[in-house]
Amino acid sequence: MNLALWDWLIVLGYFVVSAGIGLAFAKRAGKNVSEFFLSGRNVPWWLAGTSMVATTFAADTPLAVTGMVYSNGVAGNWLWWSLVMSGILTVFFYAHLWRRAEVLTDVEFAELRYSGPPAAFLRGFRALYMALPINLIITGWVNLAMVTILEVTLGVNPWVALAGMFVITFAYSTLSGLWGVLVTDFVQFGIAMGGSIALAVFAVQAVGGMDELLARLPEHFGSTEAAIAILPSSDAAWMPVTAFLAYLTVQWWATSYPGAEPGGGGYIAQRIFSARTERDGVLATLIFNVAHYALRPWPWIITALCVTVLYPNLENPGSGYVRAVVDLLPTGFKGLMIAAFAAAYMSTIATQLNWGASYFVNDLYLRFLNPNAPEKKVVLVSRLATVLTFLLSSVTTYVLYRAGSIEAAWRIIIAFGAGTGLVYILRWYWWRINAWSEISAMAAALVGFGLLTGFGIFNPVDPLSSTYLMLVNTLFTTVVWVAVTFLTSPTPHETLVAFYRRVRPGGPGWRRVAHAAGFPDEPIAGGALAWTNWIAGVVSVYCSLFGIGRLIFGDYLQAVVFLVVAALSFAWIARSLGKERGVFAPLAEPQPTSPAAAPVS
């Protein structure tokens, strides 16, 4: 693709702004480890929420959505739309608790909630697991996707261009810590969404308008309805009814996966930790889920539908998105779209570098190597950890490129998560879960996956067989960790009481601990409104998603119905999130006259 001078100036301007933001926050990030990794816990909700969305908007995301739509129509997105229930669960049940915990990483939670050698082992193991295989494979995958984009769009060596973007991202992440990441995320998300919307508009124009697009979709899908239907058809080979029902009823809470862990975790939790207040953490997570599922996908989906008409015989459907950039955009907009790809890439990589380094520093160096290190030294180690993450990411990218596929690695990651989700949900609401519950769940998930696939019982690639694999492994893992929970000693009384006083999860699962800590019976965080808000949140996101789609496709009656229901659901949530009532009602004080209760057993 030939870029004009204006295109290059736009791209250059973007990189200058990104570098400038990094330099502007360098001094602030150097104050202490909290500033470097959590922005001093002083981030407003709108900035934290936008950063969450930007982080999950990687360079490969529009290509992946294009592939889903090209192969299976709009309904192909249910492969990730089904996770709405888990995301909204985090908003109303767990964002409160994560912010109250005031930990620096999600794996630090292990020694807040549990104690002794099992808790220390769990914390150290999960820190290594998240910082190395999870973080590095995600980074390598995003790097490879960007190479594919650069090969088509720029007339330069894609590896040289990638190295330049990687180094700039590494530089501002290392200098400015999370503040630089957050502010650049905000700018990058605006650029990335602007480029995506512009491409969708030009793609529709290239087809001949929306009416012409709808008229030509049957050429690829057999009918217009098959292309734009909200739900997959009952005879869809890629999504059998059994698989679809399992996605909606089991998988969203049973399986843990990076960026969408049941109960929150990873870089989503990091943004909650950094929020100014508990309220900011809840609102940030809500904004993220609305934007992530309901608003962000439609420019990609529209472009993908246009791609099916303009390029009907693609071997690699995802490449159609990049071809549309090359073929359809005029001067100026091409530069904007290159900047948009760079922004999507850099927002994800910046988070992966900062987030991965936080595990090395907080959960390995400070926990096991040098707990009493002075702040200046910890900040220096934090920057060195970012350098280490950068170098390891570069090596991982090369290894994955040589291998040509990361499918096997991803199967291992999924194996670690299958069936573990319920532990991560219940550990906040049931005192009896201990460190061995989590350890045994992780081990059982891996063993179950290995046995069920190694002996050829289930095929993890086949849609229906993989569904049965998930269901069976969830059952096996659940039986194992529940049994282990009751066969091992509970977490010591003192640790449970200290955890309850700090986090105040409430609910019947903590009643005896609450009494031991001197508190009356307390509802779960948010009370009964947490349940109604969860339902309203799921309804509002799905109705917004479907209503916007119906509006784009000209089905105005359905659009109005969906959007009115969404508005009513949002109104209910807004009412319950009032400052002086609802889910933010003041917590009860302990009862000073309560005697120390006997140890919980």
Side-chain angles (χ1 to χ4, degrees):
M1 179 174 69
N2 294 321
L3 297 182
L5 177 61
W6 278 110
D7 295 310
W8 286 112
L9 289 175
I10 290 171
V11 174
L12 178 62
Y14 161 73
F15 284 111
V16 170
V17 170
S18 297
I21 292 172
L23 292 172
F25 285 95
K27 184 177 180 179
R28 188 168 185 172
K31 291 181 179 179
N32 53 57
V33 69
S34 177
E35 284 287 351
F36 191 86
F37 289 122
L38 294 181
S39 300
R41 303 187 191 274
N42 196 35
V43 179
W45 61 270
W46 55 269
L47 184 57
T50 304
S51 179
M52 292 180 191
V53 186
T55 295
T56 56
F57 185 167
D60 63 308
T61 312
L63 279 64
V65 170
T66 299
M68 294 176 192
V69 174
Y70 195 96
S71 301
N72 305 308
V74 173
N77 287 282
W78 276 103
L79 293 172
W80 63 286
W81 283 348
S82 60
L83 304 179
V84 167
M85 281 81 76
S86 179
I88 300 298
L89 195 75
T90 300
V91 175
F92 296 113
F93 286 84
Y94 298 101
H96 298 270
L97 306 181
W98 277 122
R99 184 61 184 81
R100 292 177 191 175
E102 292 195 341
V103 292
L104 195 141
T105 66
D106 56 328
V107 301
E108 183 184 343
F109 174 87
E111 289 194 297
L112 178 67
R113 174 66 173 79
Y114 318 119
S115 64
F121 169 79
L122 177 62
R123 179 177 178 179
F125 174 79
R126 282 194 61 81
L128 286 171
Y129 169 66
M130 299 301 291
L132 293 176
I134 293 291
N135 188 37
L136 297 181
I137 289 174
I138 292 173
T139 304
W141 174 254
V142 173
N143 281 339
L144 290 180
M146 197 63 197
V147 167
T148 301
I149 293 168
L150 293 171
E151 282 179 336
V152 178
T153 57
L154 296 181
V156 298
N157 186 313
W159 290 100
V160 173
L162 177 71
M165 285 191 292
F166 202 9
V167 168
I168 292 173
T169 308
F170 155 73
Y172 76 70
S173 300
T174 305
L175 287 173
S176 62
L178 188 62
W179 268 120
V181 173
L182 292 171
V183 176
T184 50
D185 275 354
F186 185 80
V187 175
Q188 289 163 347
F189 180 67
I191 295 172
M193 281 305 298
S196 299
I197 293 170
L199 180 60
V201 170
F202 283 109
V204 171
Q205 290 178 356
V207 173
M210 183 58 68
D211 291 339
E212 182 66 16
L213 172 63
L214 295 175
R216 294 186 60 184
L217 286 175
E219 298 172 9
H220 186 86
F221 295 99
S223 69
T224 301
E225 183 60 23
I228 66 172
I230 292 173
L231 301 175
S233 63
S234 59
D235 59 349
W238 64 274
M239 180 69 80
V241 173
T242 301
F244 184 61
L245 293 177
Y247 274 39
L248 294 181
T249 59
V250 178
Q251 181 164 292
W252 63 268
W253 58 262
T255 303
S256 179
Y257 19 75
E261 297 87 345
Y267 40 78
I268 301 301
Q270 185 194 39
R271 300 311 193 264
I272 298 173
F273 305 154
S274 71
R276 182 178 295 159
T277 64
E278 182 181 324
R279 178 185 177 83
D280 284 285
V282 172
L283 291 176
T285 317
L286 177 61
I287 291 298
F288 160 65
N289 280 278
V290 173
H292 178 69
Y293 291 107
L295 303 179
R296 193 181 65 177
W298 282 111
W300 306 334
I301 292 172
I302 298 304
T303 301
L305 291 173
C306 293
V307 165
T308 64
V309 173
L310 297 171
Y311 312 107
N313 298 306
L314 292 175
E315 292 185 8
N316 178 11
S319 67
Y321 193 89
V322 185
R323 288 188 60 177
V325 173
V326 174
D327 297 343
L328 306 180
L329 293 180
T331 297
F333 283 97
K334 288 183 178 179
L336 175 64
M337 199 63 208
I338 297 300
F341 275 128
Y345 166 81
M346 292 170 68
S347 63
T348 300
I349 293 298
T351 287
Q352 299 300 137
L353 292 176
N354 183 271
W355 173 61
S358 70
Y359 293 121
F360 284 123
V361 175
N362 187 63
D363 302 297
L364 297 173
Y365 177 74
L366 285 176
R367 173 59 181 85
F368 297 104
L369 299 178
N370 192 0
N372 299 315
E375 285 290 351
K376 288 187 177 180
K377 186 173 183 179
V378 175
V379 172
L380 175 61
V381 171
S382 300
R383 286 176 167 152
L384 292 175
T386 308
V387 173
L388 176 62
T389 304
F390 166 75
L391 295 174
L392 291 175
S393 299
S394 302
V395 173
T396 304
T397 300
Y398 176 76
V399 171
L400 294 178
Y401 174 75
R402 297 287 295 179
S405 171
I406 63 167
E407 182 178 340
W410 271 112
R411 289 185 188 182
I412 294 174
I413 292 175
I414 294 172
F416 268 85
T420 60
L422 193 58
V423 178
Y424 300 135
I425 289 175
L426 292 181
R427 64 185 181 175
W428 293 94
Y429 291 109
W430 185 27
W431 69 270
R432 189 59 180 82
I433 287 179
N434 58 31
W436 291 112
S437 305
E438 289 197 38
I439 294 170
S440 62
M442 295 174 67
L446 178 60
V447 171
F449 179 88
L451 294 175
L452 293 170
T453 59
F455 287 98
I457 301 174
F458 296 114
N459 178 4
V461 177
D462 178 76
L464 187 58
S465 184
S466 64
T467 299
Y468 291 134
L469 169 63
M470 182 270 295
L471 294 173
V472 173
N473 206 26
T474 295
L475 178 61
F476 170 71
T477 301
T478 302
V479 170
V480 169
W481 74 255
V482 169
V484 168
T485 298
F486 286 107
L487 291 173
T488 54
S489 300
T491 300
H493 168 72
E494 296 78 9
T495 302
L496 293 173
V497 170
F499 174 78
Y500 190 88
R501 285 178 172 167
R502 183 165 175 172
V503 178
R504 301 286 292 279
W510 285 96
R511 181 173 292 121
R512 63 178 67 185
V513 177
H515 292 171
F519 292 95
D521 288 349
E522 295 184 301
I524 61 173
L529 285 173
W531 294 102
T532 58
N533 283 337
W534 177 66
I535 295 172
V538 172
V539 170
S540 64
V541 170
Y542 278 135
C543 285
S544 297
L545 173 67
F546 303 150
I548 293 170
R550 295 298 97 180
L551 190 65
I552 290 172
F553 295 131
D555 190 343
Y556 299 117
L557 178 59
Q558 284 195 36
V560 168
V561 172
F562 279 126
L563 293 176
V564 166
V565 174
L568 292 174
S569 300
F570 280 125
W572 172 267
I573 293 171
R575 181 179 182 278
S576 69
L577 293 183
K579 291 183 179 180
E580 303 300 331
R581 61 180 185 273
V583 298
F584 296 108
L587 296 171
E589 295 296 326
Q591 301 170 349
T593 58
S594 297
V600 178
S601 61

